[in-house]
Amino acid sequence: SQQGEEDPQALSIQEGENATMNCSYKTSINNLQWYRQNSGRGLVHLILIRSNEREKHSGRLRVTLDTSKKSSSLLITASRAADTASYFCATDGAGGTSYGKLTFGQGTILTVHP
Amino acid sequence: GAGVSQSPSNKVTEKGKDVELRCDPISGHTALYWYRQSLGQGLEFLIYFQGNSAPDKSGLPSDRFSAERTGGSVSTLTIQRTQQEDSAVYLCASSLVGPISNQPQHFGDGTRLSIL
């Protein structure tokens, strides 16, 4: 079963614009991770934020985590056509597990138009 | 290569046949995970290995599904008497360690299984 929800389900923007995706979850977690998936490929890890962190940056990516609201956001700045993909949030430690069992959201399909 | 390798990349089989999916994790990664991705259910956890043991098999959908890992490396996921609802992409991932590791998982490209 899915831990939470992501919105929007689909996002279409122009190259150079920023893209923001949101993720909500239901239980306590150890960390929250964001992954990207290109069509027909596996998932690529983007960024991991621990439950005691509030914000993390990696290149053009910015992730925030609000454990009181059980929500996270992924911001991609200055988007490129190559950023076109599906983006998934995944929680680690949901339900008290401690070994990296990931529970995924439904994903956001991002399309960046050149 | 240095990544997680899965084979076959595609498998088409008839309902009722058995299938075996293989995962070769990144060398040195002790934790290995199987997930299933389908249109209706999204990404679902199936089973977790730490070394050769599987402490959590809670995601396996039925007793037709089994998995093993030998030598702390290669893992195989076996589906017996396949059904059409087994059609999905089966993804394997590995990571350095398991318990509260805060480690990212590295995924293979998956096996796309189609049951006719």
Side-chain angles (χ1 to χ4, degrees), chain A residues 48-112:
Chain A
L48 181 153
I49 186 165
R50 301 184 186 201
S51 59
N52 62 354
E53 296 176 313
R54 292 297 166 258
E55 187 170 313
K56 203 160 183 181
H57 297 256
S58 176
R60 294 183 296 111
L61 306 180
R62 172 178 170 257
V63 168
T64 62
L65 178 65
D66 187 334
T67 53
S68 66
K69 295 181 179 178
K70 293 186 170 57
S71 67
S72 174
S73 68
L74 170 67
L75 168 67
I76 304 174
T77 60
S79 64
R80 305 166 182 169
D83 295 329
T84 294
S86 293
Y87 291 81
F88 294 90
C89 69
T91 53
D92 177 356
T97 59
S98 61
Y99 46 75
K101 172 181 176 179
L102 294 180
T103 308
F104 287 87
Q106 295 286 1
T108 294
I109 300 172
L110 173 65
T111 304
V112 182

Side-chain angles (χ1 to χ4, degrees), chain A residues 7-80:
Chain A
D7 77 274
Q9 291 186 344
L11 180 60
S12 182
I13 60 175
Q14 295 295 127
E15 212 167 23
E17 295 180 340
N18 295 342
T20 300
M21 289 161 264
N22 302 296
C23 168
S24 62
Y25 58 93
K26 297 174 183 174
T27 68
S28 62
I29 61 173
N30 294 327
N31 64 65
L32 185 143
Q33 304 177 33
W34 286 89
Y35 288 81
R36 184 187 75 217
Q37 185 178 37
N38 289 89
S39 181
R41 303 299 300 274
L43 282 77
V44 174
H45 180 263
L46 296 176
I47 198 165
L48 181 153
I49 186 165
R50 301 184 186 201
S51 59
N52 62 354
E53 296 176 313
R54 292 297 166 258
E55 187 170 313
K56 203 160 183 181
H57 297 256
S58 176
R60 294 183 296 111
L61 306 180
R62 172 178 170 257
V63 168
T64 62
L65 178 65
D66 187 334
T67 53
S68 66
K69 295 181 179 178
K70 293 186 170 57
S71 67
S72 174
S73 68
L74 170 67
L75 168 67
I76 304 174
T77 60
S79 64
R80 305 166 182 169

Side-chain angles (χ1 to χ4, degrees), chain B residues 60-75:
Chain B
L60 295 178
S62 74
D63 59 8
R64 296 185 295 104
F65 287 71
S66 63
E68 65 175 15
R69 189 179 185 194
T70 55
S73 180
V74 172
S75 176

Side-chain angles (χ1 to χ4, degrees), chain B:
Chain B
V4 176
S5 178
Q6 291 188 246
S7 61
S9 54
N10 286 282
K11 177 72 176 179
V12 181
T13 192
E14 293 180 347
K15 176 182 171 181
K17 300 287 188 183
D18 297 351
V19 295
E20 192 171 278
L21 313 179
R22 175 188 169 105
C23 172
D24 202 340
I26 293 172
S27 178
H29 280 194
T30 58
L32 186 147
Y33 310 82
W34 283 97
Y35 296 89
R36 179 169 73 172
Q37 185 174 28
S38 60
L39 282 175
Q41 299 299 320
L43 275 152
E44 304 173 285
F45 166 85
L46 296 179
I47 188 169
Y48 154 68
F49 285 93
Q50 181 60 38
N52 290 336
S53 64
D56 188 349
K57 306 178 183 179
S58 63
L60 295 178
S62 74
D63 59 8
R64 296 185 295 104
F65 287 71
S66 63
E68 65 175 15
R69 189 179 185 194
T70 55
S73 180
V74 172
S75 176
T76 54
L77 176 69
T78 302
I79 309 173
Q80 296 178 310
R81 305 181 302 280
T82 52
Q83 303 294 314
Q84 288 188 332
E85 61 263 28
D86 299 335
S87 296
V89 177
Y90 290 81
L91 293 164
C92 175
S94 69
S95 68
L96 273 173
V97 291
I100 321 179
S101 62
N102 287 317
Q103 292 287 334
Q105 293 182 21
H106 302 265
F107 283 78
D109 283 340
T111 294
R112 183 174 298 275
L113 178 64
S114 299
I115 310 299
L116 302 179

